Structures are given as structure tokens and as C-alpha cells.
Amino acid sequence: SFLALAAAGAQVQQKPFLETTEGTGISIKCSHNNIRTGDFIHFYRQLPGRRPELLAVTAKASKKVQNPEGRLSVSADRRWSELWLERPRRGDAAVYYCALGH
């Protein structure tokens, strides 16, 4: 479950608040300096009143994200990751989480 992943993972750090205008791309960065060899990087979002939903998982490769449209990228040393939302809409306003886990 989401909570187990977040609790089991190493420390991650995110900016507490980001905003953009509709249709303007935005980058959601996540720092995880304590990442271990077997850890995967998970990005979730939680829309108001809904359960968290998994957007993408990767170890180190870049991944396309379908809904919302964008890309998940990871630095070469795996110490940070970034979820780029191409053209966010009003309905994409949510809490976005990153977590480490297996």
C-alpha cells in the first residue's frame, strides 16, 4: 500500500507547494540522498477526496507518464528525481508524493 511504501523508504524531500497556470508545464522535484541499491522511485498523486494513485515507478530510466501527460526522470547518481507535467489542467491539482520502496 502507499503508506507502507512511504514508511519503508529512505528519506525523501519535496517542496511543500508548487503552482502553475493551466497548460504551463511544471516540474515536481524529489530529493533522496539516502537511496539504496534495490530501491525504486514511485510517484503518486492524491486528488481531493480520493485515494492516492500510482503515476509511475522506475529504478533509474526515464519513463513517460500518460495521465497526467508528462515524464519521470532520474539523475545519473539517483539522488533526485523529477516528474514533469507537460500541460497540467485544473483537474490535475492534487498532492503529489514521491516515495522509495521495493
Side-chain angles (χ1 to χ4, degrees):
S1 74
F2 168 74
L3 289 174
L5 268 177
Q11 289 287 76
V12 298
Q13 291 171 323
Q14 294 174 269
K15 284 202 171 152
F17 187 77
L18 291 169
E19 62 181 352
T20 185
T21 54
E22 198 165 23
T24 302
I26 190 168
S27 163
I28 301 169
K29 281 202 168 77
C30 181
S31 165
H32 29 75
N33 289 321
N34 301 333
I35 192 165
R36 295 168 304 198
T37 305
D39 283 340
F40 283 77
I41 301 155
H42 302 68
F43 264 88
Y44 291 84
R45 76 170 174 183
Q46 187 169 17
L47 296 162
R50 304 274 293 278
R51 294 174 60 180
E53 59 177 319
L54 182 62
L55 300 178
V57 180
T58 189
K60 58 183 186 220
S62 286
K63 281 264 180 86
K64 279 192 86 160
V65 180
Q66 299 298 338
N67 182 29
E69 194 181 347
R71 172 169 290 277
L72 170 57
S73 307
V74 183
S75 63
D77 62 6
R78 302 207 322 139
R79 289 180 176 226
W80 62 264
S81 53
E82 171 186 36
L83 180 64
W84 169 255
L85 303 184
E86 196 80 37
R87 283 180 292 276
R89 298 185 300 273
R90 189 174 292 275
D92 294 320
V95 180
Y96 288 80
Y97 298 96
C98 69
L100 300 180
H102 300 292

